[in-house]
Amino acid sequence: MELFNELEQLVANARKDAEAFYSKGNKAAGTRLRKSMQEAKNKAHDIRKEVTEKKNEG
């Protein structure tokens, strides 16, 4: 559950950059948003691995 909470926090933090990029056209915010989304993708992958491992334990 810890990884899931980290993913939620990552997405919440990326919201500010998303708003700046889409509303104001701030290109630097777009770069930060892309980085955050890559981190979220990696975190989601880690969650998938963890879930599979726990599912296959029992």
Side-chain angles (χ1 to χ4, degrees), residues 19-43:
E19 290 172 355
F21 176 71
Y22 287 112
S23 301
K24 301 173 187 169
N26 183 330
K27 292 183 192 258
T31 300
R32 290 189 302 270
L33 178 59
R34 289 182 64 233
K35 181 180 180 207
S36 295
M37 292 297 96
Q38 184 64 41
E39 291 173 10
K41 177 184 169 189
N42 293 338
K43 190 69 65 179

Side-chain angles (χ1 to χ4, degrees), residues 3-20:
L3 288 174
F4 187 81
N5 291 336
E6 290 174 15
L7 177 61
E8 279 185 314
Q9 189 63 42
L10 245 171
V11 173
N13 291 340
R15 183 173 206 61
K16 180 179 172 186
D17 288 326
E19 290 172 355

